[in-house]
Amino acid sequence: AGGGLQVTATRRTNVIAIRLTLGFLMILGAAVLTLGFVIYFSLPYGIAVAALVFVISMILAILLVQRVTHPLDEFTRVVQQLAGGNWSVRLNHRDQDELGEVALYLNSFSDKVRGTLAALEESKSRLETIVANMESGVLLVNSDGQVVLVNPAAEEILGVADKNILGKSQVEALHNYPLSSLITEVLAEGEVRCAEISLFYPQERILEVTAAPVLGERSKKSGVVVVLYDITETRGLERMRAEFMANVSHELKTPVTSIKGFAETLLDGALYNHRSAEEFVNIINDEANRLSRLVNDILELSRIEFQEVKPQLMPLDLTLRIKEIVDVMEPRFLKKGLSLKAIVPSHPVIVSADAHMIHQSVENLLDNSLKYTPEGGQVTITLLSEPEEAVVIVEDDGNGVPEEDLDRVFERFYRVDKTRSRKLGGTGLGLAIVKHIVSAHGGRVWAESELGRGSSFYISLPTGEKIGGSGRHGDKE
């Protein structure tokens, strides 16, 4: 636009300069002719008259030049500012001549350009805001393979800062061969490409990457825009779902197979052998009970996990509730030759919770210790009242949990000793139910253990202003 204005200004200036020169020559010519006639007809006064005419002619010429050159100076100044990008300046020339025509053209052109630039700036601002606030990462690589744009989401996903990679080769900046190869391929072929790429730094991620060519003037490739979708959580959920279905199928198959096998044995004649029949019926009954517990636990876990059952929050005295649970479960511990001890404050410890759910959680922890503590051992349940939380601790002196298994004990169907757990009647869902119940109350669960010296399982429930939260602490594992 600035070049066009300068060309227009030059053309108009040339026209005006030519006309100015012609006018000046005409005045001088008239003065010379006048001088000649005066000298010829009246010699005594010719020189004086000629001088007077000459002076008047010069004054008129100077006035004419100033009348034209002053608007030209203003015109030149305005054009230079417009060419420099100052589109708010205007040319004030109201005469109906060439300069007036140019002034109207320049002012109209300046208004249109200013409006176009404002619209472009607004569009640019909107686009930058959208890109900056996208959850997906966005990269822009130019035709030379240099990174020219990276949004905050991409910085977080790739573990880089824009100041460290802008202007660098994408190969050098990204440090990921599959991603760099995808960008190079799109730059070369100019076609959209999609791929699933794994990252191992700054943390393990699975990305769904879409790379598309950016077309410039005359459909010429001017770069590549890359969009990064973090699908790590999605893939993790898919894997968990697949594992859950496989585990459910396996866990259901075991008791069903056992029931079916013993039922067929009875039908084949063992029914008439009283001792065998009684033994097999007892086994069928045990397996049916186990199957019932498994189905109930699966349904309970699903209801809690998908928030079909929400906690009915009411003031709950944990001191009193733990005493009640210990009274109910102590006979089972004594029957196995175990000691159950409760250490609770003398005063009430109040939390806002669903009494049934908390009862189930504590009972599940005690039942877990009951199963895995050998005869003669001791299980202790302790209640601590902290300023902002109440902590329930279930400790046993059993065999403990290996360190590599501690992070997974609250997973569904995860068992440290799978064979022994099934023999003890466990479903593998008890601790998972505890975790989901406590999370629904805004609390956290974790476990500590030393192999050969027992385990400790913790439930922390918020008190005071934290009651009814949504798990802000997260699960400590």
Side-chain angles (χ1 to χ4, degrees):
L5 288 175
Q6 289 178 331
V7 170
T8 302
T10 301
R11 290 177 178 175
R12 293 296 183 183
T13 303
N14 291 338
V15 171
I16 294 170
I18 291 172
R19 295 191 177 186
L20 177 61
T21 303
L22 290 177
F24 182 71
L25 290 176
M26 290 175 65
I27 293 172
L28 288 180
V32 172
L33 289 175
T34 303
L35 180 61
F37 280 111
V38 169
I39 293 173
Y40 181 76
F41 291 105
S42 181
L43 184 59
Y45 305 101
I47 296 176
V49 173
L52 180 61
V53 171
F54 182 77
V55 170
I56 294 173
S57 299
M58 289 300 296
I59 292 173
L60 292 175
I62 291 171
L63 292 175
L64 179 61
V65 169
Q66 288 181 342
R67 176 180 172 78
V68 177
T69 56
H70 179 72
L72 282 177
D73 291 340
E74 179 68 14
F75 173 79
T76 303
R77 183 185 64 81
V78 170
V79 169
Q80 288 175 346
Q81 291 190 49
L82 292 175
N86 182 12
W87 297 100
S88 62
V89 68
R90 297 182 66 82
L91 185 61
N92 296 317
H93 188 85
R94 304 182 183 280
D95 293 345
Q96 301 296 322
D97 54 10
E98 286 81 2
L99 283 179
E101 182 182 345
V102 172
L104 290 174
Y105 165 74
L106 284 178
N107 291 337
S108 176
F109 182 74
S110 175
D111 291 341
K112 291 180 180 179
V113 171
R114 189 166 63 249
T116 302
L117 290 177
L120 290 174
E121 187 66 28
E122 184 178 358
S123 298
K124 178 185 176 184
S125 178
R126 288 178 180 174
L127 182 60
E128 288 177 346
T129 302
I130 292 171
V131 172
N133 290 281
M134 287 178 63
E135 292 186 1
S136 302
V138 177
L139 288 171
L140 184 61
V141 178
N142 64 17
S143 57
D144 296 326
Q146 297 174 327
V147 179
V148 295
L149 183 146
V150 54
N151 74 338
E155 293 180 40
E156 194 274 331
I157 290 172
L158 300 173
V160 298
D162 59 351
K163 62 182 179 181
N164 295 330
I165 67 171
L166 290 180
K168 290 186 178 180
S169 165
Q170 55 94 2
V171 176
E172 177 186 1
L174 302 179
H175 301 291
N176 186 280
Y177 177 75
L179 181 56
S180 296
S181 299
L182 183 68
I183 295 173
T184 302
E185 183 180 343
V186 174
L187 277 173
E189 300 181 6
E191 297 181 359
V192 178
R193 290 284 185 272
C194 298
E196 192 170 295
I197 292 175
S198 297
L199 289 182
F200 301 97
Y201 178 85
Q203 64 185 59
E204 289 191 25
R205 297 178 187 264
I206 301 175
L207 304 180
E208 186 178 280
V209 182
T210 301
V214 178
L215 302 180
E217 187 177 358
R218 297 179 181 177
S219 299
K220 182 180 178 181
K221 295 189 294 293
S222 61
V224 175
V225 61
V226 183
V227 181
L228 310 172
Y229 304 94
D230 188 348
I231 58 172
T232 308
E233 185 176 353
T234 302
R235 289 290 181 266
L237 291 174
E238 291 175 353
R239 184 175 63 254
M240 288 177 59
R241 187 181 297 111
E243 291 176 356
F244 178 72
M245 293 304 298
N247 287 327
V248 167
S249 300
H250 180 72
E251 295 293 336
L252 291 175
K253 182 179 180 181
T254 301
V256 169
T257 301
S258 181
I259 292 171
K260 187 173 184 298
F262 284 107
E264 289 176 349
T265 303
L266 289 172
L267 291 174
D268 286 341
L271 181 63
Y272 303 103
N273 184 328
H274 185 268
R275 175 180 291 182
S276 297
E278 184 177 359
E279 179 184 356
F280 291 168
V281 169
N282 286 330
I283 293 174
I284 290 173
N285 183 62
D286 290 342
E287 292 296 330
N289 289 334
R290 178 185 164 195
L291 183 61
S292 176
R293 287 195 302 271
L294 179 60
V295 171
N296 289 335
D297 283 351
I298 291 173
L299 293 175
E300 180 72 15
L301 182 61
S302 297
R303 284 194 294 266
I304 298 172
E305 190 172 10
F306 292 102
Q307 297 182 349
E308 293 179 8
V309 178
K310 295 185 178 180
Q312 302 297 314
L313 301 181
M314 298 286 289
L316 175 67
D317 181 2
L318 284 179
T319 301
L320 180 60
R321 179 63 60 171
I322 288 176
K323 289 180 179 179
E324 292 174 351
I325 295 173
V326 169
D327 289 341
V328 171
M329 295 193 68
E330 190 172 21
R332 294 173 56 190
F333 280 80
L334 294 175
K335 184 178 181 180
K336 189 179 176 181
L338 299 177
S339 171
L340 177 60
K341 181 181 180 182
I343 303 175
V344 297
S346 57
H347 58 82
V349 177
I350 307 298
V351 295
S352 180
D354 186 303
H356 171 72
M357 286 186 170
I358 297 303
H359 185 111
Q360 184 179 7
S361 298
V362 175
E363 191 176 81
N364 281 3
L365 288 185
L366 289 173
D367 186 66
N368 183 72
S369 295
L370 174 65
K371 290 186 177 74
Y372 295 103
T373 303
E375 185 177 351
Q378 176 173 303
V379 176
T380 303
I381 180 169
T382 305
L383 174 60
L384 301 178
S385 180
E386 302 292 344
E388 295 184 342
E389 60 184 358
V391 182
V392 179
I393 309 171
V394 176
E395 301 172 274
D396 63 58
D397 54 5
N399 295 326
V401 179
E403 185 177 353
E404 61 271 17
D405 293 312
L406 264 181
D407 292 340
R408 303 190 61 188
V409 293
F410 291 99
E411 291 181 11
R412 293 170 294 187
F413 294 114
Y414 188 80
R415 297 183 176 94
V416 177
D417 186 344
K418 296 178 174 57
T419 303
R420 183 164 177 261
S421 177
R422 290 194 181 94
K423 288 181 180 178
L424 294 172
T427 64
L429 294 174
L431 294 181
I433 291 174
V434 172
K435 178 180 178 179
H436 282 82
I437 287 177
V438 174
S439 295
H441 284 77
R444 54 195 177 105
V445 297
W446 70 97
E448 297 175 356
S449 182
E450 186 176 346
L451 199 59
R453 303 192 65 177
S455 305
S456 299
F457 293 86
Y458 296 79
I459 292 176
S460 172
L461 295 172
T463 59
E465 294 182 357
K466 289 189 175 183
I467 291 174
S470 56
R472 281 170 285 180
H473 291 288
D475 295 320
K476 179 179 177 181
E477 298 179 352

